[in-house]
Amino acid sequence: MIVKKPPATDDAFIESNVVKRFSPLARQILAASGPIISSAAAGMTNGFSAILLPQLQQPGSKLSITEDQASWIASMAPLPMALGCILGGLLMERCGRKSAHLLLNISFAVGWCVLSMAGSYPQILAGRFITGLSCGLVGPPASVYIAETSDPRYRGILLAGVTFAVSGGILLAHLFGTFFRWQTAALLCSLFMIVAYLLMVVSPESPAWLLARGARAEAEASFHWLRGFDPASRQEFDAMVARTDQNTNNEKTNEIQADQRNRSPYKRREFLMPLATLLVFFATMQFSGVNIVAFYSIALMKTTIGSDSLNEYLAMLIVDLVRVVTSLVACILLRSVGRRPLAMASGVGTTVSLIGLSIFLYFQTSIPLYRNYSWLSLIFLISYIVFVGIGLFPLPWCMTGEIFPVATRGLGSGLTSSFNFVCFFAVIKTGPTLFATVGINGTFLVYGVISLLGTLLLYVILPETKNRTLQEIEEQFRRGRRKAKDAEATAGVGEGGGGSSASSARIATIS
């Protein structure tokens, strides 16, 4: 009997079969699913107080709270978020992006379980503190991990999935609170963390982090698992290796030099400029009141639309649904529209909506004739949710994971996310005082003015990062926005004059 040997299969044949069976895009979506679901838990934390406080303040509630205690329950979650961002940034640099996500999923589940079993005011505060800390932990790793594991063509839409998940989490928390008691709602929220943990278990570690740690073989395996084996992916990985080697050589050279300024990567332009840009972006986003509606939804609806016009729970769910749909639209826009035009359109629309809502609320509360048109207030409010949701809300989180260099990405994303949550806490804690002092119409006017000033600043300093690799973005900040544009124009002229090899290399790098 003659035994025929199977035909030899080379690596290219095996690789092509793997790519055909599991597309790189599907793998990138799988890798992004864990951080996205964890971000949904952050949205649930933000929206949980809107259903927790009304149930605790009901006459038949077993646990009664004062107004001051209600304010602390609402603001207890944002309080540790800043600390969580710093810890999240350090944790993902020391232990890796994947390990950081596994740990924060566990802490999230513990926080929700503490809330579900809480029977006293201190226990509720403890549960809110743990879930708030977990929100901070998920901030830097989620954006950075998705940015480092996704193709530049899909990075925008996958990063926008984070804010879409946050909006969806707020809606889910409000739905759970509408149909269940707050203890049951907290238990349902904890189930999402099991799914997020399992998805992260089967996902690879970030190739950029592995490469920065000197594990080139593991980084290459992780990169090809995510991106496939086509020539463009191979060229991009080679560019990553070359860039890492260059940074390593520069660091060794700087250690020899006596100039401390050049030796520290945290004093370079490519770190300071992204830091300043995101600080302005996050401050504009938070102080335009984006989270006030989520935290005080029911109380805000009672005052805005009146208790006799629409059911405040129904109005809250309508606003939540609009927020989710807007986040989905933002995902599509980030795939096709640049960061700068989207930010400008969002900032202008948010400013107009807030000032218009403030003016109409003033007439509604001062002139009895306008009290029957409270539904118009809801339209202005929905317009505000739409405009803030397509740009000011998702864009800073998207850019957190893509504009810092690899060497400073952990600290940079941690600092900016921490600053975001400090502003978050300040807005939530001062919101009721501002409502009582200048009224809801005056509060929205203040937020509108801040939105206008922030938009003007962003027009000056915000760069364009759409369809650029992380290495190109770093080089753009190193040169400056104007110099980068001049260099691109010069390169374009050179390519048009017959530089076909340079053109093909750049196209391969971008793809």
Side-chain angles (χ1 to χ4, degrees):
M1 183 176 65
I2 300 176
V3 179
K4 294 183 178 180
K5 295 178 65 177
T9 56
D10 57 4
D11 293 340
F13 176 77
I14 296 174
E15 291 169 359
S16 63
N17 278 329
V18 171
V19 171
K20 287 180 180 178
R21 187 172 181 181
F22 304 103
S23 68
L25 178 58
R27 300 182 196 180
Q28 294 170 42
I29 293 175
L30 174 65
S33 298
I36 287 174
I37 294 178
S38 300
S39 301
M44 294 174 191
T45 303
N46 294 343
F48 195 74
S49 62
I51 57 102
L52 172 63
L53 298 180
Q55 291 190 19
L56 292 177
Q57 293 172 336
Q58 287 178 353
S61 176
K62 295 181 181 179
L63 179 62
S64 59
I65 58 172
T66 64
E67 289 295 331
D68 183 65
Q69 289 175 333
S71 175
W72 276 109
I73 289 175
S75 57
M76 182 53 66
L79 182 62
M81 287 181 184
L83 174 62
C85 287
I86 300 295
L87 294 177
L90 296 175
L91 188 63
M92 73 175 181
E93 286 299 322
R94 293 289 183 88
C95 304
R97 284 45 164 158
K98 178 177 178 178
S99 300
H101 275 99
L102 294 175
L103 291 174
L104 68 89
N105 287 331
I106 294 174
S107 66
F108 245 137
V110 170
W112 286 118
C113 289
V114 169
L115 271 176
S116 67
M117 297 183 293
S120 63
Y121 172 68
Q123 291 175 349
I124 293 177
L125 290 182
R128 292 284 290 167
F129 185 89
I130 297 174
T131 52
L133 182 67
S134 302
C135 280
L137 289 174
V138 78
S143 299
V144 170
Y145 181 78
I146 294 175
E148 292 180 348
T149 57
S150 57
D151 189 289
R153 293 172 296 177
Y154 312 118
R155 188 173 64 229
I157 189 171
L158 290 176
L159 284 170
V162 172
T163 52
F164 173 73
V166 172
S167 301
I170 295 174
L171 174 61
L172 285 174
H174 290 171
L175 281 174
F176 292 157
T178 301
F179 297 103
F180 302 102
R181 293 292 301 171
W182 59 270
Q183 294 95 333
T184 305
L187 185 61
L188 292 174
C189 292
S190 67
L191 299 179
F192 286 82
M193 308 322 302
I194 300 176
V195 179
Y197 185 91
L198 295 177
L199 287 171
M200 286 306 305
V201 167
V202 300
S203 299
E205 182 54 87
S206 164
W209 184 82
L210 291 171
L211 199 60
R213 294 299 179 274
R216 177 168 178 173
E218 292 84 351
E220 186 172 6
S222 175
F223 185 86
H224 289 310
W225 189 96
L226 291 160
R227 307 287 290 277
F229 299 88
D230 59 277
S233 297
R234 293 179 187 273
Q235 289 185 7
E236 184 174 350
F237 181 76
D238 291 339
M240 287 177 58
V241 174
R243 183 65 184 170
T244 303
D245 293 341
Q246 181 183 355
N247 290 337
T248 303
N249 294 332
N250 289 339
E251 289 175 3
K252 290 180 180 179
T253 303
N254 290 334
E255 288 177 359
I256 299 174
Q257 295 176 351
D259 189 357
Q260 180 69 25
R261 182 179 63 87
N262 292 331
R263 187 168 58 186
S264 175
Y266 300 104
K267 295 181 179 180
R268 298 173 186 169
R269 179 185 179 90
E270 59 266 31
F271 173 74
L272 295 177
M273 285 304 297
L275 182 67
T277 301
L278 284 180
L279 291 181
V280 173
F281 217 148
F282 276 121
T284 303
M285 183 256 285
Q286 289 294 345
F287 285 100
S288 63
V290 64
N291 285 300
I292 282 291
V293 178
F295 264 66
Y296 298 102
S297 294
I298 295 178
L300 190 60
M301 291 302 165
K302 285 182 178 179
T303 307
T304 304
I305 66 176
S307 58
D308 298 331
S309 301
L310 288 174
N311 181 276
E312 60 271 11
Y313 281 90
L314 177 60
M316 176 187 68
L317 294 178
I318 290 174
V319 171
D320 290 341
L321 185 60
V322 171
R323 185 187 292 111
V324 171
V325 173
T326 302
S327 299
L328 182 60
V329 172
C331 295
I332 300 172
L333 290 176
L334 282 170
R335 178 74 174 88
S336 57
V337 182
R339 312 295 196 250
R340 278 181 57 82
L342 195 58
M344 295 302 103
S346 174
V348 172
T350 299
T351 301
V352 173
S353 299
L354 284 171
I355 295 178
L357 178 59
S358 171
I359 294 173
F360 187 82
L361 283 176
Y362 172 78
F363 284 107
Q364 181 181 338
T365 55
S366 302
I367 304 176
L369 177 63
Y370 287 92
R371 293 177 183 174
N372 296 327
Y373 297 92
S374 58
W375 57 273
L376 288 175
S377 300
L378 186 60
I379 292 179
F380 276 106
L381 193 59
I382 289 175
S383 173
Y384 162 69
I385 295 295
V386 168
F387 279 109
V388 79
I390 63 172
L392 290 183
F393 185 51
L395 279 175
W397 289 112
C398 292
M399 301 184 73
T400 297
E402 64 181 10
I403 66 175
F404 285 107
V406 177
T408 59
R409 194 166 290 157
L411 181 61
S413 60
L415 285 176
T416 52
S417 302
S418 177
F419 176 76
N420 167 72
F421 288 119
V422 169
C423 297
F424 188 179
F425 173 77
V427 171
I428 297 302
K429 188 61 180 173
T430 58
T433 304
L434 203 57
F435 288 147
T437 304
V438 298
I440 291 184
N441 59 307
T443 303
F444 281 125
L445 181 60
V446 171
Y447 293 156
V449 172
I450 294 175
S451 174
L452 175 61
L453 296 177
T455 302
L456 294 176
L457 277 175
L458 290 174
Y459 178 79
V460 177
I461 65 175
L462 186 67
E464 183 57 70
T465 61
K466 180 178 178 291
N467 288 341
R468 297 178 182 268
T469 65
L470 300 182
Q471 291 76 26
E472 289 174 339
I473 296 172
E474 180 179 346
E475 187 65 25
Q476 180 182 5
F477 275 108
R478 179 180 291 108
R479 294 181 178 182
R481 191 151 63 93
R482 292 184 179 275
K483 292 182 180 179
K485 286 183 178 180
D486 295 339
E488 288 179 4
T490 304
V493 172
E495 291 167 5
S500 58
S501 59
S503 176
S504 60
R506 176 170 177 77
I507 292 173
T509 302
I510 293 177
S511 64

